[in-house]
Amino acid sequence: MTCATSPLQQRHLPDLAATEALAVALAPLLQAGDVLLLSGDLGAGKTSFARALIQALPGPDGEDCSDEAVPSPTFTLLQVYPRRPAEIWHFDLYRLSQAEEIYELGWEEARDQAIALIEWPERMGDLAPAGALTLRFDAAPEGLEAGRSLRLDGPAIWGARLAGLDQTNKRDHDRAAFLEAAGWGQAKRHLLAADASFRHYDRLNDRERSAVLMDAPPDKEDVRPFQAVTALLHRLDLSAPRILAADPEAGFLLLEDLGDATFTRVLAEGGDETALYELAVDVLVALQQHWQPQMGQDLPPYDLDALLVETALLTDWYYPAVTGRPCPPDLANAHQQAWAEALAPVAERREVLVLRDYHVDNLIQLPDRQGVAACGLLDFQDALLGSAVYDLISLLEDARRDLSDSLRQHLLARWQAALPNRDPERDRADLALLGAQRSAKIAGIFTRLDRRDGKSGYLRHLPRVLRLLAGNLQAPPLAPVAAWFAQHLPLDEARVPVPAPGAGVPRGGSIE
């Protein structure tokens, strides 16, 4: 087999419960494009592990699948399960006579678009992918009378993704204690979403009520900014989820459940695109109209230093990924100096709360509420104090979704008409400046998500991001930056990096 050869972890699983617990802990780390090779003798626990993992992930609409039957695919060779973030294809290749027969089971589709669990992967021979994670179940080590030994092998990128497993037991204990204290100790819990950060979200169901648990490991994330910005949004009568219980030291928040009707989902189901985007613009107008300077006194500014930290992501990650070499220091410095010259005026703006990741993935339709309250808000914990046009350009130049020129112009005109005291010429310049800055940042972030975090699915959005960047660089205030790109990284030759081995597709969420 040509699959993973680097030893990552060795574990002792004393009983079936330990095997299942490990599968449940691993499940939220998986994404489309991941392949798990489950190796070991008959009765080693491969199917039990796969069953627990399949039952741990939610269905495509977020439903609890913990009681779903998961039969062994020994005779059918393959069972497919609709899941979030991707379908799970459960293979058993024991009866495969030739490796190439796996293609008849849809192997290419599973490898590229699903999470693949493969028992008896030895039957694949050289077709086993190099980026797979191998789990080898064997008899318990000498001196241990019960259970199994599990060895995990794979490329280095899996090591980073598996690093958090050792903290699972303590985290589970802390989570259970938090939910018990909050009165939700008996609720059923299943994964709702995970994003590009270390946070993940579980939906809790307890009889007729539901809530959302934000789980943010405190050594990786801080939930207090989310709490502070939530309070600000509520003062403005905007629909951020209410905080039902909090333990910021442990990194847990219990949130109001705003449902699953993200604008992205509503649009995919045929929702009125113009009406949804108009509502999103109206929220920004309301924020701008009702914002008072004293509200932002404790907010960090979106100043030049913060903006330049983000533009550096392009030379730190995108440049080496497409050129095959690190960006030379003099080129990186010239890149930053060009951005500093261009961004200096907009970096002085302290106009309003900037949510920073304002797009249709993070907006929820709430049809039982009126006016701008009908738009629920998610993923705003990184908010800063800055220009009023930042969130507008984030909405109009979505990294994940194309908008027609006519709709963009209509929405811009709606925003300008509602705020007639603004300077249109200055706003046009700021829109181009921040649109370009945001696209450069996202190009770096999406590449980093592939190279560092194994989430290659973000790369599919890079052609759009680079196209938006090139369009904004035509604005006169961006002439220094445009000159740097023309000389060192021509955007008419822009390329998408080849995905890193073992990388998979993202689950969505924040890109800040």
Side-chain angles (χ1 to χ4, degrees), residues 366-375:
L366 304 173
D368 58 334
R369 303 186 189 184
Q370 300 298 312
V372 294
C375 177

Side-chain angles (χ1 to χ4, degrees), residues 199-240:
R199 294 181 301 273
H200 73 267
Y201 300 85
D202 293 332
R203 172 163 283 143
L204 307 176
N205 294 109
D206 185 18
R207 300 181 180 87
E208 299 301 318
R209 61 177 184 163
S210 66
V212 172
L213 174 68
M214 178 195 289
D215 184 338
D219 60 327
K220 305 291 187 182
E221 300 280 340
D222 185 355
V223 300
R224 288 171 295 186
F226 184 93
Q227 293 176 283
V229 179
T230 297
L232 285 173
L233 293 172
H234 287 166
R235 287 177 63 186
L236 297 165
D237 296 323
L238 298 177
S239 291

Side-chain angles (χ1 to χ4, degrees), residues 225-311:
F226 184 93
Q227 293 176 283
V229 179
T230 297
L232 285 173
L233 293 172
H234 287 166
R235 287 177 63 186
L236 297 165
D237 296 323
L238 298 177
S239 291
R242 291 181 296 115
I243 298 176
L244 308 177
D247 185 346
E249 287 73 25
F252 295 116
L253 295 180
L254 189 63
L255 307 175
E256 174 189 13
D257 188 354
L258 297 181
D260 294 313
T262 64
F263 282 19
T264 298
R265 178 172 293 185
V266 175
L267 288 166
E269 294 172 352
D272 188 328
E273 182 182 47
T274 299
L276 288 169
Y277 274 94
E278 286 178 345
L279 175 56
V281 168
D282 291 348
V283 170
L284 296 180
V285 168
L287 180 58
Q288 176 77 12
Q289 289 176 332
H290 297 104
W291 183 257
Q292 300 174 15
Q294 64 270 23
M295 292 180 177
Q297 61 186 357
D298 295 326
L299 286 172
Y302 213 167
D303 57 16
L304 188 60
D305 287 344
L307 292 166
L308 292 179
V309 165
E310 295 175 342
T311 57

Side-chain angles (χ1 to χ4, degrees), residues 274 278 405-415:
T274 299
E278 286 178 345
D405 289 339
S406 61
L407 179 57
R408 281 204 302 267
Q409 292 304 317
H410 167 71
L411 296 170
L412 177 59
R414 184 182 183 90
W415 183 81

Side-chain angles (χ1 to χ4, degrees), residues 89 113 267 313 332 352 400 412 511:
W89 289 41
Q113 302 178 24
L267 288 166
L313 293 168
V352 74
R400 298 176 177 88
L412 177 59
I511 57 175

Side-chain angles (χ1 to χ4, degrees), residues 278-472:
E278 286 178 345
L279 175 56
V281 168
D282 291 348
V283 170
L284 296 180
V285 168
L287 180 58
Q288 176 77 12
Q289 289 176 332
H290 297 104
W291 183 257
Q292 300 174 15
Q294 64 270 23
M295 292 180 177
Q297 61 186 357
D298 295 326
L299 286 172
Y302 213 167
D303 57 16
L304 188 60
D305 287 344
L307 292 166
L308 292 179
V309 165
E310 295 175 342
T311 57
L313 293 168
L314 184 134
T315 48
D316 287 346
W317 293 95
Y318 177 75
Y319 183 99
V322 297
T323 64
R325 62 185 185 278
C327 186
D330 58 334
L331 262 63
N333 289 337
H335 175 261
Q336 292 297 84
Q337 290 169 6
W339 278 110
E341 179 182 346
L343 292 170
V346 75
E348 298 300 317
R349 313 279 187 250
R350 303 289 182 271
E351 296 174 329
V352 74
L353 178 74
V354 178
L355 302 179
R356 296 182 69 203
D357 213 10
Y358 192 79
H359 54 79
V360 292
D361 278 359
N362 289 330
L363 305 178
I364 299 278
Q365 187 181 52
L366 304 173
D368 58 334
R369 303 186 189 184
Q370 300 298 312
V372 294
C375 177
L377 302 174
L378 304 176
D379 204 4
F380 45 73
Q381 61 281 336
D382 297 315
L384 298 173
L385 189 65
S387 169
V389 308
Y390 187 94
D391 286 336
L392 181 64
I393 200 65
S394 174
L395 180 72
L396 301 185
E397 296 191 354
D398 194 328
R400 298 176 177 88
R401 188 174 191 275
D402 291 317
L403 272 71
S404 68
D405 289 339
S406 61
L407 179 57
R408 281 204 302 267
Q409 292 304 317
H410 167 71
L411 296 170
L412 177 59
R414 184 182 183 90
W415 183 81
Q416 291 171 327
L419 301 167
N421 295 326
R422 295 189 61 82
D423 182 340
E425 184 175 349
R426 192 187 78 170
D427 283 343
R428 280 194 296 272
D430 287 357
L431 284 164
L433 286 165
L434 292 176
Q437 187 271 351
R438 182 171 171 81
S439 292
K441 170 183 69 173
I442 293 172
I445 289 175
F446 283 0
T447 308
R448 182 178 68 185
L449 285 166
D450 169 65
R451 289 301 192 264
R452 187 190 70 182
D453 303 325
K455 300 176 180 178
S456 68
Y458 288 94
L459 297 180
R460 72 180 186 272
H461 302 302
L462 275 182
R464 178 184 300 108
V465 171
L466 298 172
R467 185 174 67 248
L468 293 170
L469 174 58
N472 281 315

